[in-house]
């Protein structure tokens, strides 16, 4: 039973902590998890604080520790001081609903005898994290059947445990937290704004005029691909007409917005990466809001939301809005973080986090033609803190949409199923 359970738990933790990451388990109650995870180091909380060992860790695991601590706030505060800002804390707790079964398993010798003194609710965990300058990024509930029964265990734990309703009965809760930024930086990093443009000739000059500098040395990157109008010529002319602006241009090698965005990000040289849709339905004047949300430390992945403010009359058709709401709810369930509008084209993250995401892109593959989900899936798996910035969605004033409602809707359903297999039903 114990071996099966710890193998399950290691599978969930490996969703975040990859073999290439430095992983530390603090005050390990037993050695099973470390043995199965393989590359995990085990240290005491005192060693973590005194030696500053957490400063080089990508992930720090607390497996059940909070059940035993007399001073949880002091314990977490001590760990917090030794972690760098991009380290992730993985906190594993066990549901109080399972307390009688855990005690019975202990009596029967199916688990090591321990004295759990704290049985914590979600609100308790969130409160302790806030008190000790951690920020909760996401929470997963796992394991309905902690013992191995051929076929049945796999079906129950992989497909039933994550479902609404049933997940409230799960044994294991996994919380992903990040150290909250206590002091705001006074530096103003520069931005690479990437614009994928196909058949958008009439919008190029407006983009150059309306995208304002946010950092000291921003760059505007146009990537053109497969236009049937003179979009490329207008981009070249805009670069010539604006020598005072740092405008970088290129043609994409493949097809689709996702391919164009990836090429633009590969060409980018600044600290922050932004996507702006060339149709200007997201106003360029709103980009500083995204910039401020990232620079202030409120989050590490900034997603636009078109579904908060009233939108212009012809900005989004009714069926498109229903589809957006459905996919937002479905992907929020799969990803474990709330997304009100997964399909808003404006997304922002640091170049460093994007490079980490890109190095592990093979986990999901590169079949996303939109580019949105490549970033969303990767950010979710990395445990990046997500926040959405509401924008006022505008009508398109030039050209026609490059989105096919039914064909791309069907593709989104395929991607939803794929993401479920990779992130939720594992």
């Amino acid at each position: 039973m114990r071996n099966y359970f710890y193998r399950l738990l290691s599978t969930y933790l490996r969703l975040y902590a990859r073999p290439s990451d430095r992983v530390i388990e603090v005050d390990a109650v037993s050695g099973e998890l470390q043995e199965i995870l393989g590359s995990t180091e085990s240290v005491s909380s005192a060693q973590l604080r005194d030696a500053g060992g957490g400063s080089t860790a990508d992930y720090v695991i607390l497996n059940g520790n909070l059940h035993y601590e007399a001073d949880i706030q002091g314990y977490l505060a001590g760990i917090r001081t030794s972690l760098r800002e991009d380290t992730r804390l993985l906190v594993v707790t066990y549901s109080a609903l399972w307390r009688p079964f855990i005690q019975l398993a202990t009596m029967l010798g199916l688990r090591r005898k321990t004295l759990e003194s704290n049985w914590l609710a979600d609100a308790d965990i969130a409160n302790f994290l806030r008190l000790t300058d951690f920020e909760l990024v996401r929470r997963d509930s796992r394991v309905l059947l902690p013992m191995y029964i051929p076929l049945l265990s796999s079906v129950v734990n992989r497909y039933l445990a994550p479902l609404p309703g049933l997940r409230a009965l799960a044994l294991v809760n996994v919380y992903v937290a990040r150290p909250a930024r206590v002091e705001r930086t006074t530096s103003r990093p520069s931005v690479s704004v990437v614009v994928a443009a196909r058949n958008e000739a009439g919008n190029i000059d407006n983009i150059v005029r309306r995208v304002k500098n946010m950092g000291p040395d921003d760059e505007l990157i146009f990537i053109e691909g497969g236009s049937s109008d003179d979009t490329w010529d207008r981009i070249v002319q805009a670069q010539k007409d604006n020598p005072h602006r740092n405008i970088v241009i290129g043609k994409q090698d493949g097809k689709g917005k996702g391919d164009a965005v990836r090429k633009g990000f590969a060409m980018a040289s600044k600290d922050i990466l932004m996507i702006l849709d060339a149709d200007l339905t997201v106003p360029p004047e709103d980009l500083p809001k995204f910039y401020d949300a990232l620079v202030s430390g409120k989050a590490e992945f900034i997603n636009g939301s078109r579904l908060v403010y009233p939108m212009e009359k012809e900005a989004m058709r009714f069926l498109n809005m229903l589809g957006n709401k459905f996919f937002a709810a479905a992907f929020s369930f799969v990803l474990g973080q709330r997304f009100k509008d997964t399909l808003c084209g404006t997304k922002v993250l640091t170049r460093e986090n994007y490079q980490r995401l890109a190095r592990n892109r093979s986990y999901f593959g590169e079949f996303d033609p939109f580019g949105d989900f490549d970033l969303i899936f990767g950010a979710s798996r990395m445990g990046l803190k997500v926040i959405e910035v509401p924008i006022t969605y505008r009508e398109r004033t030039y050209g026609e949409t490059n989105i096919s409602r039914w064909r791309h809707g069907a593709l989104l359903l395929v991607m939803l199923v794929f993401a479920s297999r990779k992130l939720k039903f594992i």
Side-chain angles (χ1 to χ4, degrees), residues 277 306 323-324 327 341-345 347 370 372-373 376 412:
D277 283 347
R306 304 164 294 175
N324 277 319
F327 284 114
D341 185 10
T342 54
L343 295 173
C344 181
K347 292 173 171 58
F370 311 104
D372 301 296
F373 298 96
I376 288 174
L412 284 172

Side-chain angles (χ1 to χ4, degrees), residues 312-349:
E312 293 185 351
K313 185 176 180 180
E314 300 299 325
M316 187 182 298
R317 289 175 289 184
F318 178 70
L319 288 179
N320 290 52
M321 182 178 295
L322 290 181
N324 277 319
K325 289 181 177 293
F326 165 75
F327 284 114
F331 279 109
S332 294
F333 163 69
V334 169
L335 298 172
Q337 295 193 63
R338 180 178 181 269
F339 282 88
K340 192 176 180 70
D341 185 10
T342 54
L343 295 173
C344 181
T346 304
K347 292 173 171 58
V348 180
L349 74 168

Side-chain angles (χ1 to χ4, degrees), residues 97-376:
L97 293 174
W98 283 76
R99 186 175 184 179
F101 301 100
I102 291 173
Q103 291 173 336
L104 178 61
T106 302
M107 291 174 56
L108 297 175
L110 298 176
R111 68 186 293 267
R112 181 178 287 106
K113 186 175 182 179
T114 54
L115 298 175
E116 295 89 355
S117 57
N118 309 311
W119 293 90
L120 305 167
D122 281 344
D124 298 324
I125 299 292
N127 192 54
F128 278 123
L129 291 172
R130 283 194 298 269
L131 286 171
T132 53
D133 291 323
F134 282 100
E135 187 174 9
L136 183 63
V137 175
R138 62 176 291 175
R139 170 188 174 273
D140 279 329
S141 295
R142 301 285 185 176
V143 187
L144 284 175
L145 189 57
M147 63 182 66
Y148 180 69
I149 300 175
L151 297 180
L152 182 62
S153 295
S154 178
V155 171
V156 169
N157 291 321
R158 185 171 188 176
Y159 297 107
L160 299 184
L163 295 177
L166 289 178
R167 63 185 176 190
L169 305 176
L171 167 62
V172 175
N173 296 311
V174 180
Y175 301 86
V176 183
R178 69 163 188 157
R181 184 179 296 181
V182 179
E183 296 182 2
R184 295 194 175 192
T185 179
T186 57
S187 64
R188 301 292 290 178
S190 296
V191 184
S192 298
V193 180
V194 174
V195 181
R198 179 173 178 267
N199 295 329
E200 301 287 0
N203 290 325
I204 303 303
D205 291 339
N206 269 332
I207 293 171
V208 175
R209 178 175 56 85
R210 293 172 61 186
V211 173
K212 304 301 183 184
N213 285 338
M214 292 159 274
D217 186 29
D218 293 354
E219 63 184 1
L220 181 59
I221 302 176
F222 284 102
I223 303 297
E224 188 276 334
S227 297
S228 57
D229 64 5
D230 61 340
T231 297
W232 175 248
D233 294 333
R234 297 291 288 273
I235 290 173
V236 172
Q237 190 61 46
Q239 186 185 48
K240 293 178 180 178
D241 292 343
N242 297 273
H244 60 288
R245 295 290 301 272
N246 185 4
I247 298 177
V248 180
I249 65 175
K251 287 193 174 187
Q252 72 180 101
D253 305 304
K255 295 182 179 180
K257 178 187 171 184
D259 177 81
V261 167
R262 287 190 284 273
K263 183 178 180 69
F265 280 3
M267 295 169 60
S269 62
K270 307 306 176 184
D271 295 322
I272 295 176
L273 305 181
M274 289 188 178
I275 304 171
L276 176 67
D277 283 347
D279 59 13
L280 294 178
T281 51
V282 174
E285 292 78 9
D286 282 342
L287 292 182
K289 297 178 182 178
F290 292 79
Y291 179 85
D292 290 340
L294 188 72
V295 172
S296 67
K298 291 184 175 67
E300 296 154 309
F301 183 84
I302 318 297
N303 186 62
S305 176
R306 304 164 294 175
L307 305 177
V308 176
Y309 299 124
M311 60 183 66
E312 293 185 351
K313 185 176 180 180
E314 300 299 325
M316 187 182 298
R317 289 175 289 184
F318 178 70
L319 288 179
N320 290 52
M321 182 178 295
L322 290 181
N324 277 319
K325 289 181 177 293
F326 165 75
F327 284 114
F331 279 109
S332 294
F333 163 69
V334 169
L335 298 172
Q337 295 193 63
R338 180 178 181 269
F339 282 88
K340 192 176 180 70
D341 185 10
T342 54
L343 295 173
C344 181
T346 304
K347 292 173 171 58
V348 180
L349 74 168
T350 65
R351 186 158 62 102
E352 181 181 4
N353 276 331
Y354 173 73
Q355 289 171 344
R356 289 179 59 206
L357 182 154
R359 286 196 296 269
N360 293 280
R361 182 174 280 136
S362 59
Y363 184 79
F364 296 105
E366 299 188 22
F367 67 93
D368 172 20
F370 311 104
D372 301 296
F373 298 96
D374 173 54
L375 299 176
I376 288 174

Side-chain angles (χ1 to χ4, degrees), residues 10-19 138 142 158 334-335 356-367 373-374 376-382 418-426:
S10 68
T11 299
Y12 305 139
L13 296 178
R14 274 295 180 215
L15 177 62
Y16 308 104
R18 295 164 291 270
R138 62 176 291 175
R142 301 285 185 176
R158 185 171 188 176
V334 169
L335 298 172
R356 289 179 59 206
L357 182 154
R359 286 196 296 269
N360 293 280
R361 182 174 280 136
S362 59
Y363 184 79
F364 296 105
E366 299 188 22
F367 67 93
F373 298 96
D374 173 54
I376 288 174
F377 293 168
S380 179
R381 189 185 181 210
M382 289 168 64
F418 178 80
S420 300
R421 293 292 304 275
K422 288 289 188 178
L423 288 170
K424 201 71 174 180
F425 302 109
I426 60 174

